[in-house]
Amino acid sequence: LYLTGLTQRAIYGAGYRLKDEISIEDLAARTRYVVERERAVVRDQLLRNHVALLEGTARFVDEHTLGISHDPGAERRVTGENVVIASGSAPAHPRDIAFNGRTILDSDDIVLRLARIPGTILVVGGGVIGIEFASMFAALGTRVTVVDGRPEILDFADREIVDGLRYHLRDLNVTFRLGERVVKVEEHGEETLTTLASGKQIPAEVVFYSAGRQGATDALDLENAGLSADERGRIPVGPKYRTEVEHIWAVGDVIGFPSLAATSAEQGRIAAADAFGLEARSMPELLPFGIYAIPEISYVGKTEAELTDAAIPYEVGVAHYRELARGHILGETHGLLKLLVSSDDRTLLGVHAFGSGATEVVHIGQAVMGLGGTVDYLVDAVFNYPTLAEAYKVAALDAANKLHAVSALAGQPVEPIA
């Protein structure tokens, strides 16, 4: 949620009258509206395709039979030749933390049960969900502290991009306590006091735990189907997401990383097609990652660290939003697009975006990569002006110039630059 003047209008519509203050009721109402609209769209699509919907909580009776409970004491049994498990996940709760739904919350509580926008909040966990909520509350004016036992946040993403996000969040008065572990959270009336292993103590109105998620498998009675889950509720799968029981598939959060909405939907498509004996192709190496922090982060393909570890030669092309007319229109001074280009065949190896619209912008690079395009295609292409997409032209020229300079010095054939 972008909570500046222009973007409030984008969220609530052109007729929205700007408020001096955003309340938790505003956020909860908008959340409920979007969720219900999305549910309605999915339900309509299923019904339109003659998919029967049976509401309730399911469990395995045997490997082909499910018991579905909707009302207490009443269970309906259905059988199926094939079964796809997509039961999702729930927030993980450390055993020594007393979640109360008021001052010590998880990601299911944070908007739906929070009474008001807190003045201070401690976020435990520097993963995707933790950073998304930390940036949202920082944008609302809350003083945020992020604690994580790892030395870096979002350690799977490009370091330069993550460093840019950290710089921006620090500018919003977010404090990072990395390499630290929470040992105790105490409730003192309407306040909390969190003690770290190092002895530091951090007071906050609210503690938000983002300590990973647990696969929602406890109620499934997996053993009745010959299946089992690990200690985090994850079900192991093989090719096309088939479990160890041949006619049962599992997809989404219940199988673990990356646990992203778009990725989970694609896994479900592949599994469903396989269950019906249909051929479905996919590009698992080009699944995009979207992190809805403020600003957004998105990438597809390899990171610099991965290419370096694999000894794959590459060049970098960068375009800063401040170089683009659209960037100035949006007031974006920190966003950037980064291309990783093969030094051997000039194909794109990775695309990394940071800033407004990053989760949209990345898909241009994803399409070029999927079709085997080179940086020269982006050099030659014409993009609408003014747009953020123009960043591809700027970044491609930057990479092409660097490749040209290396080729000239190495005495290799030199590709012309437009």
Side-chain angles (χ1 to χ4, degrees), residues 4-61:
T4 59
L6 288 174
T7 50
Q8 282 178 353
R9 292 185 185 275
I11 294 172
Y12 294 96
Y16 180 74
R17 183 174 179 179
L18 297 180
K19 302 176 68 173
D20 293 333
E21 204 173 289
I22 299 295
S23 70
I24 199 68
E25 289 79 13
D26 293 324
L27 294 176
R30 187 61 182 172
T31 299
R32 285 193 297 269
Y33 172 79
V34 172
V35 169
E36 289 307 317
R37 288 298 304 161
E38 186 68 8
R39 283 177 176 167
V41 168
V42 172
R43 177 182 290 272
D44 289 345
Q45 289 173 339
L46 292 173
L47 294 176
R48 193 164 57 245
N49 285 279
H50 310 292
V51 176
L53 300 178
L54 306 178
E55 296 188 4
T57 302
R59 70 178 186 90
F60 280 98
V61 176

Short mmCIF file of all heavy atoms in Angstrom, two decimals, residues 4-61:
data_model
loop_
_atom_site.label_atom_id
_atom_site.label_comp_id
_atom_site.label_asym_id
_atom_site.label_seq_id
_atom_site.Cartn_x
_atom_site.Cartn_y
_atom_site.Cartn_z
N THR A 4 1.09 7.80 0.06
CA THR A 4 1.25 9.21 -0.22
C THR A 4 0.00 9.71 -0.92
O THR A 4 -0.87 8.93 -1.29
CB THR A 4 2.47 9.44 -1.13
OG1 THR A 4 2.27 8.71 -2.33
CG2 THR A 4 3.75 8.96 -0.46
N GLY A 5 -0.11 11.02 -1.11
CA GLY A 5 -1.33 11.59 -1.67
C GLY A 5 -1.78 10.98 -2.97
O GLY A 5 -2.91 10.54 -3.11
N LEU A 6 -0.90 10.92 -3.96
CA LEU A 6 -1.30 10.41 -5.27
C LEU A 6 -1.68 8.95 -5.21
O LEU A 6 -2.65 8.52 -5.84
CB LEU A 6 -0.16 10.61 -6.28
CG LEU A 6 0.10 12.05 -6.72
CD1 LEU A 6 1.34 12.10 -7.60
CD2 LEU A 6 -1.10 12.61 -7.48
N THR A 7 -0.94 8.17 -4.42
CA THR A 7 -1.18 6.74 -4.43
C THR A 7 -2.36 6.36 -3.57
O THR A 7 -2.94 5.30 -3.76
CB THR A 7 0.08 5.99 -3.97
OG1 THR A 7 0.54 6.58 -2.76
CG2 THR A 7 1.16 6.08 -5.01
N GLN A 8 -2.76 7.18 -2.62
CA GLN A 8 -4.02 6.92 -1.93
C GLN A 8 -5.16 6.95 -2.93
O GLN A 8 -6.07 6.13 -2.88
CB GLN A 8 -4.26 7.97 -0.84
CG GLN A 8 -3.44 7.73 0.42
CD GLN A 8 -3.67 8.82 1.43
OE1 GLN A 8 -4.33 9.80 1.15
NE2 GLN A 8 -3.11 8.66 2.61
N ARG A 9 -5.12 7.90 -3.87
CA ARG A 9 -6.16 7.97 -4.89
C ARG A 9 -6.14 6.73 -5.77
O ARG A 9 -7.18 6.23 -6.19
CB ARG A 9 -5.97 9.22 -5.75
CG ARG A 9 -6.22 10.52 -4.99
CD ARG A 9 -6.13 11.71 -5.93
NE ARG A 9 -6.25 12.96 -5.21
CZ ARG A 9 -7.41 13.52 -4.90
NH1 ARG A 9 -8.54 12.92 -5.23
NH2 ARG A 9 -7.45 14.67 -4.24
N ALA A 10 -4.91 6.22 -6.05
CA ALA A 10 -4.81 5.02 -6.87
C ALA A 10 -5.42 3.81 -6.16
O ALA A 10 -6.03 2.96 -6.78
CB ALA A 10 -3.34 4.74 -7.21
N ILE A 11 -5.26 3.76 -4.82
CA ILE A 11 -5.78 2.63 -4.06
C ILE A 11 -7.30 2.71 -3.91
O ILE A 11 -8.02 1.76 -4.15
CB ILE A 11 -5.13 2.58 -2.66
CG1 ILE A 11 -3.63 2.26 -2.79
CG2 ILE A 11 -5.80 1.53 -1.79
CD1 ILE A 11 -2.88 2.38 -1.49
N TYR A 12 -7.78 3.89 -3.54
CA TYR A 12 -9.18 4.02 -3.18
C TYR A 12 -10.06 4.57 -4.30
O TYR A 12 -11.27 4.68 -4.15
CB TYR A 12 -9.32 4.91 -1.94
CG TYR A 12 -8.72 4.28 -0.73
CD1 TYR A 12 -7.42 4.60 -0.33
CD2 TYR A 12 -9.43 3.36 0.01
CE1 TYR A 12 -6.86 4.02 0.79
CE2 TYR A 12 -8.87 2.77 1.13
CZ TYR A 12 -7.59 3.10 1.52
OH TYR A 12 -7.03 2.51 2.62
N GLY A 13 -9.48 4.94 -5.43
CA GLY A 13 -10.25 5.44 -6.55
C GLY A 13 -10.13 6.95 -6.69
O GLY A 13 -9.76 7.66 -5.76
N ALA A 14 -10.49 7.44 -7.86
CA ALA A 14 -10.30 8.86 -8.15
C ALA A 14 -11.14 9.76 -7.25
O ALA A 14 -10.79 10.91 -7.01
CB ALA A 14 -10.65 9.13 -9.62
N GLY A 15 -12.27 9.22 -6.75
CA GLY A 15 -13.14 10.03 -5.92
C GLY A 15 -12.76 10.03 -4.45
O GLY A 15 -13.44 10.64 -3.63
N TYR A 16 -11.67 9.35 -4.12
CA TYR A 16 -11.29 9.26 -2.71
C TYR A 16 -10.82 10.61 -2.18
O TYR A 16 -10.00 11.29 -2.78
CB TYR A 16 -10.16 8.23 -2.55
CG TYR A 16 -9.69 8.06 -1.12
CD1 TYR A 16 -10.49 7.38 -0.20
CD2 TYR A 16 -8.48 8.59 -0.71
CE1 TYR A 16 -10.06 7.22 1.10
CE2 TYR A 16 -8.06 8.43 0.60
CZ TYR A 16 -8.85 7.75 1.49
OH TYR A 16 -8.42 7.58 2.78
N ARG A 17 -11.38 11.00 -1.04
CA ARG A 17 -10.97 12.26 -0.43
C ARG A 17 -9.83 11.99 0.54
O ARG A 17 -9.94 11.15 1.44
CB ARG A 17 -12.16 12.87 0.32
CG ARG A 17 -11.82 14.23 0.93
CD ARG A 17 -13.06 14.86 1.54
NE ARG A 17 -12.76 16.13 2.14
CZ ARG A 17 -13.67 16.91 2.72
NH1 ARG A 17 -14.94 16.51 2.75
NH2 ARG A 17 -13.32 18.06 3.25
N LEU A 18 -8.71 12.68 0.36
CA LEU A 18 -7.53 12.42 1.17
C LEU A 18 -7.81 12.68 2.64
O LEU A 18 -8.47 13.65 3.01
CB LEU A 18 -6.37 13.31 0.70
CG LEU A 18 -5.89 13.05 -0.72
CD1 LEU A 18 -4.75 13.98 -1.06
CD2 LEU A 18 -5.49 11.61 -0.91
N LYS A 19 -7.29 11.79 3.49
CA LYS A 19 -7.48 11.93 4.93
C LYS A 19 -6.18 12.37 5.57
O LYS A 19 -5.09 12.09 5.07
CB LYS A 19 -7.92 10.59 5.52
CG LYS A 19 -9.20 10.04 4.90
CD LYS A 19 -9.54 8.68 5.44
CE LYS A 19 -9.94 8.75 6.89
NZ LYS A 19 -10.43 7.44 7.40
N ASP A 20 -6.30 13.05 6.69
CA ASP A 20 -5.10 13.46 7.41
C ASP A 20 -4.35 12.26 7.95
O ASP A 20 -3.15 12.28 8.10
CB ASP A 20 -5.47 14.39 8.58
CG ASP A 20 -6.03 15.71 8.08
OD1 ASP A 20 -5.66 16.11 6.96
OD2 ASP A 20 -6.82 16.33 8.82
N GLU A 21 -5.08 11.19 8.23
CA GLU A 21 -4.48 10.04 8.89
C GLU A 21 -5.13 8.77 8.38
O GLU A 21 -6.34 8.71 8.18
CB GLU A 21 -4.72 10.17 10.40
CG GLU A 21 -3.73 9.43 11.25
CD GLU A 21 -3.94 9.77 12.72
OE1 GLU A 21 -3.63 10.90 13.11
OE2 GLU A 21 -4.45 8.91 13.44
N ILE A 22 -4.33 7.75 8.14
CA ILE A 22 -4.85 6.45 7.74
C ILE A 22 -5.07 5.62 9.01
O ILE A 22 -4.14 5.47 9.81
CB ILE A 22 -3.88 5.72 6.80
CG1 ILE A 22 -3.66 6.53 5.53
CG2 ILE A 22 -4.40 4.33 6.45
CD1 ILE A 22 -4.87 6.68 4.67
N SER A 23 -6.26 5.07 9.17
CA SER A 23 -6.55 4.26 10.35
C SER A 23 -6.45 2.79 10.02
O SER A 23 -6.45 2.39 8.86
CB SER A 23 -7.96 4.57 10.88
OG SER A 23 -8.93 4.06 9.97
N ILE A 24 -6.37 1.97 11.07
CA ILE A 24 -6.33 0.53 10.85
C ILE A 24 -7.65 0.06 10.25
O ILE A 24 -7.69 -0.92 9.50
CB ILE A 24 -6.03 -0.20 12.17
CG1 ILE A 24 -5.53 -1.63 11.89
CG2 ILE A 24 -7.24 -0.23 13.09
CD1 ILE A 24 -4.17 -1.69 11.24
N GLU A 25 -8.74 0.79 10.53
CA GLU A 25 -10.04 0.45 9.93
C GLU A 25 -9.99 0.63 8.41
O GLU A 25 -10.59 -0.14 7.66
CB GLU A 25 -11.16 1.30 10.53
CG GLU A 25 -11.51 0.94 11.97
CD GLU A 25 -10.54 1.53 12.97
OE1 GLU A 25 -9.73 2.42 12.57
OE2 GLU A 25 -10.55 1.10 14.13
N ASP A 26 -9.31 1.69 7.95
CA ASP A 26 -9.15 1.90 6.51
C ASP A 26 -8.43 0.73 5.86
O ASP A 26 -8.84 0.21 4.82
CB ASP A 26 -8.36 3.19 6.24
CG ASP A 26 -9.11 4.44 6.66
OD1 ASP A 26 -10.35 4.46 6.52
OD2 ASP A 26 -8.46 5.39 7.14
N LEU A 27 -7.32 0.31 6.48
CA LEU A 27 -6.54 -0.79 5.93
C LEU A 27 -7.33 -2.09 5.94
O LEU A 27 -7.34 -2.84 4.96
CB LEU A 27 -5.24 -0.96 6.73
CG LEU A 27 -4.24 0.19 6.66
CD1 LEU A 27 -3.07 -0.09 7.58
CD2 LEU A 27 -3.76 0.41 5.24
N ALA A 28 -8.00 -2.37 7.08
CA ALA A 28 -8.76 -3.62 7.19
C ALA A 28 -9.91 -3.65 6.20
O ALA A 28 -10.17 -4.69 5.57
CB ALA A 28 -9.27 -3.78 8.63
N ALA A 29 -10.61 -2.52 6.04
CA ALA A 29 -11.74 -2.48 5.10
C ALA A 29 -11.27 -2.71 3.68
O ALA A 29 -11.90 -3.45 2.91
CB ALA A 29 -12.46 -1.14 5.22
N ARG A 30 -10.17 -2.08 3.31
CA ARG A 30 -9.66 -2.25 1.95
C ARG A 30 -9.17 -3.68 1.74
O ARG A 30 -9.38 -4.27 0.67
CB ARG A 30 -8.52 -1.26 1.69
CG ARG A 30 -8.03 -1.25 0.25
CD ARG A 30 -9.15 -0.86 -0.71
NE ARG A 30 -8.69 -0.91 -2.09
CZ ARG A 30 -9.47 -0.77 -3.14
NH1 ARG A 30 -10.77 -0.56 -2.97
NH2 ARG A 30 -8.99 -0.82 -4.35
N THR A 31 -8.53 -4.26 2.76
CA THR A 31 -8.06 -5.64 2.67
C THR A 31 -9.24 -6.58 2.45
O THR A 31 -9.20 -7.45 1.58
CB THR A 31 -7.30 -6.03 3.95
OG1 THR A 31 -6.16 -5.20 4.09
CG2 THR A 31 -6.85 -7.49 3.88
N ARG A 32 -10.28 -6.41 3.26
CA ARG A 32 -11.46 -7.29 3.12
C ARG A 32 -12.08 -7.15 1.74
O ARG A 32 -12.48 -8.14 1.12
CB ARG A 32 -12.48 -6.96 4.20
CG ARG A 32 -12.12 -7.46 5.59
CD ARG A 32 -13.32 -7.37 6.53
NE ARG A 32 -13.75 -5.99 6.71
CZ ARG A 32 -13.30 -5.19 7.67
NH1 ARG A 32 -12.40 -5.63 8.54
NH2 ARG A 32 -13.74 -3.94 7.78
N TYR A 33 -12.15 -5.92 1.25
CA TYR A 33 -12.76 -5.69 -0.06
C TYR A 33 -11.97 -6.42 -1.16
O TYR A 33 -12.56 -7.13 -1.99
CB TYR A 33 -12.80 -4.20 -0.37
CG TYR A 33 -13.23 -3.89 -1.79
CD1 TYR A 33 -14.58 -3.93 -2.15
CD2 TYR A 33 -12.29 -3.57 -2.77
CE1 TYR A 33 -14.97 -3.68 -3.46
CE2 TYR A 33 -12.68 -3.32 -4.07
CZ TYR A 33 -14.01 -3.37 -4.41
OH TYR A 33 -14.39 -3.13 -5.71
N VAL A 34 -10.65 -6.25 -1.16
CA VAL A 34 -9.82 -6.87 -2.21
C VAL A 34 -9.90 -8.38 -2.12
O VAL A 34 -10.03 -9.08 -3.13
CB VAL A 34 -8.37 -6.38 -2.10
CG1 VAL A 34 -7.47 -7.16 -3.06
CG2 VAL A 34 -8.28 -4.89 -2.40
N VAL A 35 -9.81 -8.93 -0.89
CA VAL A 35 -9.85 -10.38 -0.72
C VAL A 35 -11.18 -10.95 -1.20
O VAL A 35 -11.23 -11.96 -1.92
CB VAL A 35 -9.59 -10.75 0.75
CG1 VAL A 35 -9.88 -12.24 1.00
CG2 VAL A 35 -8.15 -10.45 1.14
N GLU A 36 -12.28 -10.31 -0.82
CA GLU A 36 -13.59 -10.81 -1.22
C GLU A 36 -13.79 -10.71 -2.73
O GLU A 36 -14.39 -11.60 -3.34
CB GLU A 36 -14.69 -10.05 -0.48
CG GLU A 36 -14.78 -10.40 1.00
CD GLU A 36 -14.90 -11.90 1.25
OE1 GLU A 36 -15.68 -12.57 0.53
OE2 GLU A 36 -14.20 -12.41 2.14
N ARG A 37 -13.31 -9.65 -3.33
CA ARG A 37 -13.41 -9.52 -4.79
C ARG A 37 -12.60 -10.61 -5.49
O ARG A 37 -13.06 -11.20 -6.46
CB ARG A 37 -12.91 -8.14 -5.24
CG ARG A 37 -13.84 -7.00 -4.87
CD ARG A 37 -15.19 -7.15 -5.54
NE ARG A 37 -15.08 -7.25 -6.99
CZ ARG A 37 -16.04 -7.74 -7.77
NH1 ARG A 37 -17.15 -8.21 -7.25
NH2 ARG A 37 -15.87 -7.78 -9.08
N GLU A 38 -11.43 -10.90 -4.97
CA GLU A 38 -10.59 -11.94 -5.58
C GLU A 38 -11.24 -13.31 -5.42
O GLU A 38 -11.24 -14.12 -6.35
CB GLU A 38 -9.20 -11.93 -4.94
CG GLU A 38 -8.19 -12.87 -5.58
CD GLU A 38 -7.78 -12.45 -6.98
OE1 GLU A 38 -8.16 -11.34 -7.41
OE2 GLU A 38 -7.09 -13.23 -7.65
N ARG A 39 -11.80 -13.56 -4.24
CA ARG A 39 -12.50 -14.83 -4.03
C ARG A 39 -13.68 -14.97 -5.00
O ARG A 39 -13.92 -16.05 -5.56
CB ARG A 39 -13.01 -14.91 -2.60
CG ARG A 39 -11.93 -15.24 -1.58
CD ARG A 39 -12.51 -15.23 -0.18
NE ARG A 39 -11.51 -15.63 0.80
CZ ARG A 39 -11.66 -15.48 2.11
NH1 ARG A 39 -12.76 -14.92 2.59
NH2 ARG A 39 -10.70 -15.87 2.95
N ALA A 40 -14.41 -13.88 -5.20
CA ALA A 40 -15.56 -13.93 -6.10
C ALA A 40 -15.13 -14.22 -7.53
O ALA A 40 -15.78 -15.00 -8.24
CB ALA A 40 -16.32 -12.60 -6.03
N VAL A 41 -14.02 -13.62 -7.96
CA VAL A 41 -13.52 -13.85 -9.32
C VAL A 41 -13.12 -15.31 -9.49
O VAL A 41 -13.48 -15.96 -10.49
CB VAL A 41 -12.32 -12.92 -9.61
CG1 VAL A 41 -11.61 -13.36 -10.89
CG2 VAL A 41 -12.78 -11.48 -9.73
N VAL A 42 -12.38 -15.86 -8.52
CA VAL A 42 -11.95 -17.26 -8.61
C VAL A 42 -13.15 -18.19 -8.60
O VAL A 42 -13.23 -19.15 -9.39
CB VAL A 42 -10.98 -17.59 -7.46
CG1 VAL A 42 -10.67 -19.09 -7.44
CG2 VAL A 42 -9.69 -16.80 -7.60
N ARG A 43 -14.12 -17.91 -7.72
CA ARG A 43 -15.30 -18.76 -7.63
C ARG A 43 -16.07 -18.74 -8.97
O ARG A 43 -16.48 -19.78 -9.47
CB ARG A 43 -16.20 -18.28 -6.50
CG ARG A 43 -17.52 -19.05 -6.36
CD ARG A 43 -18.35 -18.47 -5.25
NE ARG A 43 -17.75 -18.75 -3.96
CZ ARG A 43 -17.98 -19.85 -3.25
NH1 ARG A 43 -18.82 -20.77 -3.72
NH2 ARG A 43 -17.40 -20.04 -2.10
N ASP A 44 -16.22 -17.57 -9.55
CA ASP A 44 -16.92 -17.46 -10.83
C ASP A 44 -16.21 -18.23 -11.93
O ASP A 44 -16.83 -18.89 -12.77
CB ASP A 44 -17.08 -16.00 -11.23
CG ASP A 44 -18.08 -15.26 -10.37
OD1 ASP A 44 -18.85 -15.93 -9.64
OD2 ASP A 44 -18.08 -14.00 -10.39
N GLN A 45 -14.87 -18.14 -11.94
CA GLN A 45 -14.10 -18.86 -12.96
C GLN A 45 -14.25 -20.37 -12.81
O GLN A 45 -14.39 -21.10 -13.80
CB GLN A 45 -12.62 -18.46 -12.87
CG GLN A 45 -12.34 -17.05 -13.34
CD GLN A 45 -10.90 -16.63 -13.09
OE1 GLN A 45 -10.21 -17.21 -12.25
NE2 GLN A 45 -10.44 -15.64 -13.83
N LEU A 46 -14.25 -20.85 -11.57
CA LEU A 46 -14.41 -22.29 -11.34
C LEU A 46 -15.80 -22.76 -11.77
O LEU A 46 -15.94 -23.78 -12.45
CB LEU A 46 -14.17 -22.61 -9.86
CG LEU A 46 -12.73 -22.43 -9.36
CD1 LEU A 46 -12.66 -22.62 -7.85
CD2 LEU A 46 -11.77 -23.41 -10.05
N LEU A 47 -16.81 -22.03 -11.35
CA LEU A 47 -18.18 -22.42 -11.70
C LEU A 47 -18.41 -22.36 -13.20
O LEU A 47 -19.10 -23.21 -13.77
CB LEU A 47 -19.18 -21.52 -10.97
CG LEU A 47 -19.21 -21.67 -9.44
CD1 LEU A 47 -20.16 -20.67 -8.82
CD2 LEU A 47 -19.60 -23.10 -9.04
N ARG A 48 -17.81 -21.36 -13.86
CA ARG A 48 -17.96 -21.22 -15.30
C ARG A 48 -17.34 -22.40 -16.04
O ARG A 48 -17.76 -22.74 -17.15
CB ARG A 48 -17.33 -19.90 -15.75
CG ARG A 48 -17.68 -19.50 -17.16
CD ARG A 48 -17.36 -18.03 -17.43
NE ARG A 48 -15.98 -17.69 -17.19
CZ ARG A 48 -15.55 -16.86 -16.25
NH1 ARG A 48 -16.41 -16.29 -15.42
NH2 ARG A 48 -14.27 -16.59 -16.09
N ASN A 49 -16.34 -23.01 -15.41
CA ASN A 49 -15.68 -24.17 -16.02
C ASN A 49 -16.20 -25.49 -15.43
O ASN A 49 -15.53 -26.52 -15.53
CB ASN A 49 -14.17 -24.05 -15.83
CG ASN A 49 -13.54 -23.03 -16.75
OD1 ASN A 49 -13.29 -23.31 -17.92
ND2 ASN A 49 -13.32 -21.82 -16.25
N HIS A 50 -17.37 -25.42 -14.80
CA HIS A 50 -18.07 -26.62 -14.31
C HIS A 50 -17.25 -27.38 -13.26
O HIS A 50 -17.24 -28.62 -13.25
CB HIS A 50 -18.45 -27.54 -15.47
CG HIS A 50 -19.15 -26.84 -16.59
ND1 HIS A 50 -20.42 -26.31 -16.46
CD2 HIS A 50 -18.74 -26.52 -17.85
CE1 HIS A 50 -20.78 -25.73 -17.59
NE2 HIS A 50 -19.78 -25.83 -18.45
N VAL A 51 -16.57 -26.64 -12.41
CA VAL A 51 -15.83 -27.24 -11.29
C VAL A 51 -16.73 -27.18 -10.06
O VAL A 51 -17.18 -26.11 -9.64
CB VAL A 51 -14.52 -26.49 -11.02
CG1 VAL A 51 -13.81 -27.08 -9.80
CG2 VAL A 51 -13.61 -26.56 -12.23
N ALA A 52 -17.01 -28.33 -9.46
CA ALA A 52 -17.85 -28.39 -8.27
C ALA A 52 -17.05 -27.93 -7.05
O ALA A 52 -15.89 -28.31 -6.87
CB ALA A 52 -18.36 -29.81 -8.05
N LEU A 53 -17.66 -27.11 -6.21
CA LEU A 53 -17.02 -26.60 -5.01
C LEU A 53 -17.68 -27.23 -3.78
O LEU A 53 -18.90 -27.12 -3.60
CB LEU A 53 -17.14 -25.07 -4.93
CG LEU A 53 -16.51 -24.28 -6.07
CD1 LEU A 53 -16.77 -22.79 -5.88
CD2 LEU A 53 -15.03 -24.56 -6.16
N LEU A 54 -16.89 -27.88 -2.96
CA LEU A 54 -17.38 -28.48 -1.72
C LEU A 54 -16.70 -27.76 -0.56
O LEU A 54 -15.49 -27.87 -0.40
CB LEU A 54 -17.05 -29.97 -1.68
CG LEU A 54 -17.53 -30.80 -2.89
CD1 LEU A 54 -17.09 -32.25 -2.75
CD2 LEU A 54 -19.04 -30.72 -3.04
N GLU A 55 -17.45 -27.01 0.20
CA GLU A 55 -16.88 -26.20 1.27
C GLU A 55 -16.75 -27.02 2.54
O GLU A 55 -17.64 -27.79 2.90
CB GLU A 55 -17.73 -24.96 1.52
CG GLU A 55 -17.77 -24.02 0.33
CD GLU A 55 -18.46 -22.71 0.65
OE1 GLU A 55 -18.84 -22.51 1.82
OE2 GLU A 55 -18.63 -21.89 -0.27
N GLY A 56 -15.64 -26.82 3.24
CA GLY A 56 -15.43 -27.51 4.51
C GLY A 56 -13.97 -27.83 4.74
O GLY A 56 -13.09 -27.43 3.95
N THR A 57 -13.69 -28.54 5.80
CA THR A 57 -12.33 -28.96 6.16
C THR A 57 -12.15 -30.42 5.76
O THR A 57 -12.97 -31.28 6.16
CB THR A 57 -12.10 -28.81 7.68
OG1 THR A 57 -12.31 -27.44 8.03
CG2 THR A 57 -10.68 -29.22 8.05
N ALA A 58 -11.11 -30.69 4.97
CA ALA A 58 -10.92 -32.04 4.43
C ALA A 58 -9.84 -32.80 5.18
O ALA A 58 -8.89 -32.22 5.70
CB ALA A 58 -10.58 -31.96 2.95
N ARG A 59 -10.03 -34.12 5.20
CA ARG A 59 -9.00 -35.03 5.73
C ARG A 59 -9.03 -36.30 4.90
O ARG A 59 -10.05 -36.64 4.28
CB ARG A 59 -9.25 -35.36 7.20
CG ARG A 59 -10.48 -36.22 7.42
CD ARG A 59 -10.68 -36.58 8.89
NE ARG A 59 -11.79 -37.54 9.03
CZ ARG A 59 -11.62 -38.86 9.00
NH1 ARG A 59 -10.40 -39.39 8.82
NH2 ARG A 59 -12.66 -39.67 9.13
N PHE A 60 -7.89 -36.99 4.85
CA PHE A 60 -7.82 -38.26 4.14
C PHE A 60 -8.42 -39.37 5.00
O PHE A 60 -8.05 -39.54 6.16
CB PHE A 60 -6.38 -38.62 3.78
CG PHE A 60 -5.86 -37.90 2.57
CD1 PHE A 60 -5.07 -36.76 2.71
CD2 PHE A 60 -6.16 -38.37 1.30
CE1 PHE A 60 -4.58 -36.10 1.59
CE2 PHE A 60 -5.68 -37.72 0.17
CZ PHE A 60 -4.89 -36.57 0.32
N VAL A 61 -9.37 -40.12 4.39
CA VAL A 61 -9.87 -41.34 5.02
C VAL A 61 -9.02 -42.52 4.54
O VAL A 61 -8.64 -43.39 5.31
CB VAL A 61 -11.35 -41.56 4.66
CG1 VAL A 61 -11.86 -42.89 5.23
CG2 VAL A 61 -12.19 -40.40 5.18
#
